[in-house]
Amino acid sequence: MRRLAKGVFYLAIPGAIALGVWQGWSWWSWATAPVAETATEELSEDEVTAIQLEIPPGTPAAQIGRDLEAVGLIQSANAWELWARWLRWRQPDGSFQAGVYRFSPQESMLEIGAQIWDGEVANESFTIPEGWSRLEMADYFERREFFSAEAFLEATQEIPRDRFPWLPEDIPHLEGYLFPDTYQVGEGTITPDGIVAQMLGQFERVALPEYEANQPPEPMTLHEWVTLGSIVEKEAVVAQERRTIAGVFWQRLRTGMNLGADPTVEYALGIRQTVDTPLTWTQVAVDSPYNTYRNPGLPPTAIASPGLASLQATLDPEETPYLYFVARYDGTHFFSRTLAEHEAAIARVEQELAQ
């Protein structure tokens, strides 16, 4: 009987160990699984939507686990702490990163933890179209609730030559140098200065090399290039006319004619003409250094942010005999060699509009 009892005892030990391992593994599988997969009831659409969580600098790993459990992103803070200890042992030089994150209940504990360990903070995107001015950008950021329009405009009046020494001297603001593009920014870190620096950095990477590698038809400073490029941007609607329009402006500059560009008047007045409300003769006569009908040469600054295509067209304009063009309000223009041809084109446009 003793031998039998002893044998049963020795057989029970591996069974107990196996049972313990199985129970431990079952618990671990449950604890690390996505909350959405282990819920006893089907989660609503709102409950599986990504949850935003901010982790302040210096937050201990255990506290991160408790916060994740409290908002329903992981099953067990204890499991999190065990895994965090193992992770620190495996990667002693690493750590969980502070920041603002977005997680889904459909992600496992290990997936969530890896994002925090690697610092994959949540991103917010914004898009600045070609041809927008600082005022349009300021209004956009305020509507997106990034910050106030006034705060952005103030930031664009600071010229950070310490970081961007290529910026021209004596410019009053950064009009023209805030490169139009789609950007990603970390949530919780969005500031006017940060976004301005990001856009200037993109100009430095994308636009500046074009100017440095390609010579315009005649000597032109960086500021003149950006200013003329902004006028081309505002005038050109269809891509195939961009170089032609740039060529017309170059022709006018060569011959000493005023540029006579409507967008410079619109910029001076802070308006935008339409088919129903075109510029009036009184508006075209406005006394402003930006009015290229009254003043020869280029305006004091750019009037918008030109895209790369307009900047490239300004460096490589079409050799054209045209000195005039008039918009047809469908994106295209009539181009003319002489004033008489131009006046006839204007009459034709007016007739088309009347019909």
Side-chain angles (χ1 to χ4, degrees):
M1 291 293 294
R2 285 182 182 175
R3 288 181 180 177
L4 180 61
K6 196 172 183 180
V8 171
F9 173 76
Y10 284 123
L11 287 172
I13 291 176
I17 292 173
L19 179 62
V21 170
W22 179 81
Q23 288 178 330
W25 178 251
S26 296
W27 174 82
W28 181 253
S29 298
W30 165 82
T32 59
V35 172
E37 290 184 5
T38 59
T40 55
E41 298 180 1
E42 186 175 352
L43 298 180
S44 67
E45 187 175 339
D46 290 340
E47 289 173 318
V48 297
T49 301
I51 298 171
Q52 183 168 298
L53 179 69
E54 181 175 3
I55 300 175
T59 304
Q63 182 60 53
I64 295 175
R66 289 192 290 271
D67 292 342
L68 289 169
E69 184 181 38
V71 297
L73 284 167
I74 64 172
Q75 311 278 12
S76 169
N78 292 331
W80 170 273
E81 191 165 0
L82 287 173
W83 179 75
R85 289 178 181 176
W86 176 84
L87 193 59
R88 285 197 298 268
W89 176 74
R90 287 288 305 272
Q91 302 181 43
D93 295 331
S95 64
F96 292 111
Q97 305 296 309
V100 177
Y101 295 85
R102 267 202 304 262
F103 303 114
S104 167
Q106 295 174 319
E107 295 177 285
S108 71
M109 185 189 81
L110 303 186
E111 290 173 329
I112 290 172
Q115 291 177 57
I116 303 175
W117 187 264
D118 295 335
E120 297 176 8
V121 295
N123 285 331
E124 182 77 65
S125 67
F126 67 91
T127 298
I128 302 300
E130 290 90 346
W132 269 17
S133 68
R134 294 183 307 130
L135 288 173
E136 289 171 302
M137 295 179 201
D139 179 64
Y140 169 76
F141 288 127
E142 185 167 274
R143 284 188 282 106
R144 289 286 304 272
E145 298 183 349
F146 281 19
F147 34 71
S148 70
E150 182 182 3
F152 178 75
L153 291 174
E154 287 178 358
T156 64
Q157 290 170 340
E158 300 292 329
I159 315 300
R161 282 195 196 83
D162 54 333
R163 290 188 57 188
F164 305 101
W166 48 265
L167 283 168
E169 297 285 342
D170 302 324
I171 54 175
H173 46 66
L174 295 170
E175 191 79 270
Y177 300 96
L178 305 170
F179 196 74
D181 209 335
T182 295
Y183 296 88
Q184 300 288 329
V185 288
E187 289 186 0
T189 61
I190 301 174
T191 65
D193 290 338
I195 282 183
V196 165
Q198 195 172 7
M199 297 174 78
L200 289 175
Q202 189 71 342
F203 184 98
E204 184 176 70
R205 286 186 293 273
V206 177
L208 191 60
E210 291 287 329
Y211 175 75
E212 294 172 339
N214 300 285
Q215 294 298 317
E218 294 180 12
M220 177 174 271
T221 66
L222 173 66
H223 189 58
E224 290 170 335
W225 174 57
V226 173
T227 300
L228 182 55
S230 73
I231 300 174
V232 172
E233 182 66 61
K234 296 297 289 184
E235 290 280 19
V237 178
V238 296
Q240 60 267 31
E241 290 187 355
R242 204 180 305 272
R243 291 183 62 243
T244 307
I245 289 174
V248 171
F249 286 136
W250 270 107
Q251 280 285 78
R252 289 192 159 215
L253 289 172
R254 288 190 184 107
T255 59
M257 290 180 62
N258 289 358
L259 291 180
D262 285 3
T264 63
V265 177
E266 295 174 47
Y267 187 82
L269 295 171
I271 62 172
R272 185 172 184 177
Q273 67 173 325
T274 65
V275 177
D276 297 326
T277 57
L279 290 175
T280 66
W281 288 112
T282 301
Q283 290 171 326
V284 171
V286 65
D287 185 11
S288 167
Y290 284 92
N291 185 351
T292 55
Y293 280 97
R294 293 190 55 166
N295 302 293
L298 295 166
T301 69
I303 59 171
S305 284
L308 184 61
S310 292
L311 290 169
Q312 289 173 330
T314 305
L315 288 173
D316 183 29
E318 180 182 306
E319 286 295 332
T320 176
Y322 300 128
L323 285 171
Y324 304 90
F325 59 87
V326 59
R328 299 180 65 184
Y329 293 100
D330 63 355
T332 64
H333 297 79
F334 283 124
F335 293 89
S336 305
R337 295 173 176 81
T338 66
L339 181 58
E341 289 180 2
H342 180 55
E343 290 173 345
I346 293 174
R348 183 176 172 183
V349 170
E350 291 174 348
Q351 183 179 17
E352 288 180 355
L353 291 176
Q355 293 174 348

